[in-house]
Amino acid sequence: MKAAYKRPVAVVLAAALAVLSAGSVSRPVYAETTLERLQKAKAEKEKTEDAKEDTEDRKQSLQITKNSLLGQLSTLNDDLADVSTKLEQIETDIAAKEQEIAQTETELEEAVRIQDEQYANMKIRIKAMYEQGGNDSYLNILFSATNFSDFLNKSDYIDRINQYDQKMLKQFTQTREHVEETKVRLEEELVSLNELKEEAEAEKGKVAGLVNQTSANVAQYSNQIADAEATIDALESMISEQEQDIAALQKKYEEELAKSRLAAKSKWRDISEVAFEEGDRKLMANIIYCEAGGEPYAGQVAVGAVVINRVLSSVYPNTVVGVVYQKKQFSPVASGRLALALANDSATASCYQAADEAMSGATNVGQCVYFRTPIPGLEGIRIGGHIFY
């Protein structure tokens, strides 16, 4: 006997038909008792609590990783700001260097112009003094001397003019060379600055990529943490519901225990006081078949004795029909298996014999009014695959 356990009727009927068509008796399928359901509910609650604890540990681990990533992200953002500042400074230096180069090119053009102009003037003077005649010619100047001293003075004058031209040409040439060297140096510095710019841009791109990746990782961990929190909330809700179920089952189990103890202490009728109705024997045989068809004969008698003990106890209905069909007591009733067995009168000869023996008042389980498959902690009379209590 067990408390009602909901099963799809079609499945139960199909199983029963398969048994009947095979011509053999299989071991009955038992519904869970309140105690078994209570223990199962506690075990499920413990699993849920373990799952919640695991999820909380996972959340904590995710949070630690996220915090570490946030620290990395802060450092990377600082690095990105530094390299951006560095790049801006390099770009400023490049602009200044390009301006210097432009200025140097202007100076170079001016130096070339002055040098060319000085060279042209010197050529004109040389040509005028040495190649052309006239008052400014070298010979005219010398021959215009009035005396030797004047001749020497004029010769020295001509020499000084030549030296001046040479000096200025050399000076302008040096100026031009200096400007050209400056331009080359500035251009080399510009190349170096552009190389630094490329390196800085590459570094900025690398750091920006790391920032984006780290930000994505932070977002991913944030989502995982949110999922973990949602899971924890769901598990907490589940635990709350399980606690309510456990409380209800605990109350029901205690009521069943109290009822069992009350039955043992209640007023008991003698078997001779029971007036069996037509059909009670068939009902007894088939409930024995459904609950203990695969058990040894002693187990079948014991199941029948439990039914009769309830009939005899003032705690339960005083008829076989009332006891068997009492709500949530015998699982074959709720599953439809008993109805199918009655329709086909599936009870075996040994089940009918056990019913006759029980209905005569014989009992091998004393005044027990419950039975089930054995579970740890449940004491009673063990017969076959059942324990009676």
Side-chain angles (χ1 to χ4, degrees):
M1 182 282 305
K2 298 185 175 45
Y5 181 72
K6 294 182 180 179
R7 295 177 181 275
V9 175
V11 175
V12 177
L13 290 175
L17 288 172
V19 170
L20 291 173
S21 64
S24 60
V25 178
S26 63
R27 291 187 64 84
V29 178
Y30 301 105
E32 295 174 317
T33 64
T34 301
L35 177 59
E36 188 175 20
R37 289 166 59 199
L38 175 60
Q39 292 175 329
K40 184 176 179 180
K42 289 181 177 179
E44 290 298 326
K45 177 175 175 282
E46 184 176 347
K47 289 180 181 178
T48 306
E49 289 173 338
D50 289 342
K52 177 189 172 186
E53 184 177 351
D54 291 342
T55 306
E56 287 174 340
D57 290 342
R58 178 170 173 268
K59 175 191 171 184
Q60 183 178 6
S61 177
L62 289 170
Q63 189 64 56
I64 291 172
T65 304
K66 178 186 174 182
N67 291 340
S68 176
L69 287 171
L70 287 172
Q72 294 177 25
L73 183 60
S74 177
T75 301
L76 288 171
N77 281 324
D78 290 342
D79 291 344
L80 183 59
D82 290 342
V83 73
S84 296
T85 301
K86 179 180 178 182
L87 183 58
E88 290 175 1
Q89 183 60 50
I90 291 174
E91 289 173 343
T92 300
D93 293 343
I94 288 174
K97 195 64 64 177
E98 288 174 342
Q99 186 175 357
E100 280 188 70
I101 290 173
Q103 180 64 31
T104 303
E105 287 176 344
T106 300
E107 293 176 358
L108 180 59
E109 290 175 0
E110 180 65 13
V112 170
R113 186 190 66 77
I114 294 174
Q115 181 188 23
D116 291 344
E117 182 179 321
Q118 176 65 23
Y119 183 71
N121 291 335
M122 186 179 69
K123 284 176 63 178
I124 292 171
R125 281 194 295 271
I126 291 173
K127 189 173 183 179
M129 292 176 65
Y130 295 101
E131 296 180 6
Q132 299 176 353
N135 296 329
D136 292 330
S137 69
Y138 178 73
L139 292 176
N140 284 337
I141 293 174
L142 292 178
F143 290 151
S144 66
T146 56
N147 53 49
F148 185 71
S149 176
D150 186 30
F151 177 84
L152 292 177
N153 288 333
K154 288 182 177 182
S155 177
D156 183 60
Y157 166 73
I158 293 171
D159 186 54
R160 286 199 302 272
I161 290 175
N162 288 331
Q163 288 181 3
Y164 170 79
D165 286 334
Q166 292 294 331
K167 177 182 177 182
M168 293 305 296
L169 181 60
K170 182 178 180 181
Q171 180 178 337
F172 290 135
T173 300
Q174 289 175 345
T175 300
R176 176 179 176 177
E177 289 175 352
H178 173 72
V179 174
E180 287 176 342
E181 290 173 356
T182 301
K183 180 183 177 184
V184 171
R185 176 179 59 79
L186 290 175
E187 288 175 343
E188 289 175 351
E189 291 175 356
L190 180 61
V191 170
S192 297
L193 285 172
N194 283 320
E195 289 176 352
L196 288 174
K197 179 182 177 181
E198 290 179 2
E199 293 174 0
E201 287 175 340
E203 185 179 357
K204 181 179 179 180
K206 180 180 178 181
V207 176
L210 291 174
V211 168
N212 292 335
Q213 182 61 49
T214 306
S215 297
N217 290 339
V218 169
Q220 180 180 0
Y221 276 94
S222 295
N223 291 336
Q224 292 181 18
I225 290 171
D227 291 342
E229 289 174 344
T231 301
I232 290 171
D233 291 341
L235 290 172
E236 287 177 344
S237 178
M238 187 182 298
I239 289 171
S240 178
E241 292 176 1
Q242 289 173 332
E243 287 174 344
Q244 293 177 10
D245 292 340
I246 289 171
L249 288 170
Q250 183 69 39
K251 181 179 179 181
K252 184 178 179 182
Y253 176 59
E254 290 172 356
E255 290 174 351
E256 288 181 357
L257 286 180
K259 199 170 185 180
S260 177
R261 297 188 189 100
L262 180 62
K265 298 177 181 179
S266 65
K267 183 179 178 181
W268 287 77
R269 292 189 296 165
D270 186 75
I271 191 66
S272 61
E273 300 177 48
V274 179
F276 292 106
E277 302 292 334
E278 183 180 355
D280 282 354
R281 181 171 181 266
K282 181 180 179 181
L283 181 58
M284 282 285 294
N286 278 279
I287 192 64
I288 291 171
Y289 166 78
C290 289
E291 293 282 17
E295 293 292 317
Y297 179 71
Q300 295 174 354
V301 172
V303 170
V306 166
V307 175
I308 297 303
N309 282 343
R310 289 194 173 198
V311 174
L312 297 177
S313 171
S314 61
V315 176
Y316 296 92
N318 59 3
T319 64
V320 172
V321 172
V323 167
V324 172
Y325 288 102
Q326 188 177 9
K327 188 177 181 180
K328 294 184 179 180
Q329 295 301 308
F330 292 89
S331 62
V333 175
S335 69
R337 190 164 183 265
L338 176 60
L340 184 62
L342 286 169
N344 295 282
D345 195 12
S346 302
T348 62
S350 65
C351 291
Y352 270 102
Q353 182 180 348
D356 291 337
E357 191 170 343
M359 291 172 73
S360 69
T363 176
N364 55 356
V365 291
Q367 293 182 326
C368 291
V369 291
Y370 285 96
F371 70 91
R372 60 151 292 121
T373 52
I375 58 174
L378 181 61
E379 297 181 357
I381 301 171
R382 177 74 177 267
I383 300 177
H386 288 142
I387 186 167
F388 297 82
Y389 57 102

